[in-house]
Amino acid sequence: MMKKNNPTPRRHLPVGQALLTAPYILWMLIFILVPLGVVVFYALTDANTGLFTLDNLGKVFTGSFPAIFGRSLWYSLLASLICLVIGYPVAYFIARQKPSVQRTLYMLVMLPMCMSFLLRTLAWVGLLRDTGIINGFLGLFGLGPFNLIRNTGAVILGMVYNYLPYMILPLYSVIMKIDPLLIEAAEDLGCSNRKVFTKVILPLSMPGVISGITMVFVPAVSTFYISQKLGSTGTTMIGDVIESQFKMAHNFNLGAALSLVLMVLIFVCVGVMNHFAGDDKDGGVVI
């Protein structure tokens, strides 16, 4: 006789765990799902009649909007890569120090984040403008004034400065967990410093790399204040357009459509980056 398979019993969360997760679920519902629903509603309705329409989404792919989307993605990707090049050595240096030194350096990385984002950006305006500190100093030697502001370089510089801690912190948290014995074993087996980095350290730190790029890219692609203060009309980003639709044009429906498309693009880019990260969340050693 064939034995009858017993169905797998359903597992229910204990009452205590359910109560602990309730505040988070409530937070998600009120501050994420409800605002997202409002954005979708405005994006898919007509401003005058309130009826369902795809005209708002159609306008997103006309005029100068596609070029602005492309510029925002390019600036954000470039800023993320620069943050990676700068942040990786810094994170590795911090992770290889004594615990007391690590805490001090970690605090120094976090310290600029304690200051207002707006003040940090305005500080760069004071440094880079034509009559600013840098041009004033160069003027003492008969140099300048140079055009250091209102260009692409200034916008990317502002993004790198403001979002660099978001790259260093996840890299540091991953690199500090790498077992030094693995590095010593690779060196004992005859690996050069370059091979130790490419075969051991870099593969094991890839989760931190992907996490850092994601944490920099997501806020950078939607930023608007940096490009307004450090850029010009030729460096307008999609965040500036969305803000203008809500604050100046009062076209909430088009602004919501732009926001919805931007959110989808961010999800696609993050999905691609996670795909390259692989399935092994703890990284792996490439042999």
Side-chain angles (χ1 to χ4, degrees):
M1 295 179 62
M2 297 180 62
K3 293 184 178 180
K4 192 174 182 180
N5 295 328
N6 294 326
T8 303
R10 295 183 178 180
R11 300 179 62 183
H12 299 280
L13 285 176
V15 177
Q17 292 185 16
L19 291 176
L20 289 175
T21 58
Y24 175 72
I25 295 175
L26 184 62
W27 177 276
M28 290 278 291
L29 179 64
I30 296 176
F31 295 103
I32 296 181
L33 296 181
V34 171
L36 181 59
V38 173
V39 170
V40 173
F41 172 77
Y42 275 100
L44 300 179
T45 54
D46 183 79
N48 298 320
T49 63
L51 300 177
F52 173 81
T53 180
L54 295 177
D55 291 343
N56 298 316
L57 293 177
K59 294 177 182 177
V60 173
F61 302 99
T62 60
S64 60
F65 293 139
I68 296 175
F69 269 109
R71 182 187 303 128
S72 301
L73 293 173
W74 168 242
Y75 284 4
S76 304
L77 180 60
L78 187 57
S80 301
L81 295 177
I82 295 175
C83 285
L84 176 61
V85 172
I86 298 175
Y88 198 103
V90 174
Y92 185 84
F93 176 79
I94 296 175
R96 289 295 173 257
Q97 303 303 310
K98 297 178 180 179
S100 58
V101 179
Q102 285 186 25
R103 288 191 291 269
T104 301
L105 296 176
Y106 188 91
M107 182 192 67
L108 292 177
V109 172
M110 293 284 294
L111 193 59
M113 300 176 66
C114 299
M115 186 184 300
S116 170
F117 177 86
L118 305 182
L119 292 179
R120 282 181 280 153
T121 304
L122 287 175
W124 276 107
V125 175
L127 287 169
L128 298 176
R129 63 185 179 183
D130 297 339
T131 57
I133 297 175
I134 295 178
N135 274 317
F137 176 76
L138 295 176
L140 298 177
F141 303 96
L143 302 174
F146 296 100
N147 184 25
L148 303 177
I149 201 172
R150 297 183 298 276
N151 52 50
T152 300
V155 174
I156 294 177
L157 174 63
M159 296 166 91
V160 170
Y161 172 75
N162 280 289
Y163 301 127
L164 182 59
Y166 298 129
M167 177 65 70
I168 295 176
L169 298 183
L171 282 171
Y172 160 76
S173 64
V174 171
I175 295 175
M176 70 175 297
K177 297 177 183 177
I178 297 177
D179 192 346
L181 294 178
L182 294 175
I183 300 176
E184 294 180 7
E187 292 173 344
D188 291 340
L189 292 173
C191 289
S192 62
N193 292 334
R194 181 179 65 84
K195 285 191 175 182
V196 169
F197 176 75
T198 57
K199 299 294 184 179
V200 180
I201 299 175
L202 183 59
L204 289 174
S205 61
M206 278 306 296
V209 172
I210 299 301
S211 178
I213 292 177
T214 303
M215 292 182 66
V216 172
F217 178 83
V218 171
V221 75
S222 58
T223 189
F224 58 92
Y225 190 77
I226 295 175
S227 51
Q228 289 179 8
K229 294 302 179 181
L230 299 178
S232 63
T233 55
T235 60
T236 301
M237 298 182 65
I238 193 62
D240 302 311
V241 178
I242 294 174
E243 184 200 25
S244 66
Q245 293 298 322
F246 282 100
K247 294 182 65 176
M248 300 175 62
H250 299 290
N251 191 342
F252 300 151
N253 299 80
L254 181 56
L258 290 167
S259 302
L260 185 61
V261 172
L262 177 61
M263 181 177 60
V264 172
L265 285 176
I266 290 175
F267 285 156
V268 171
C269 293
V270 172
V272 171
M273 286 185 284
N274 289 335
H275 172 74
F276 284 108
D279 297 329
D280 188 357
K281 297 182 179 180
D282 295 327
V285 179
V286 179
I287 304 298

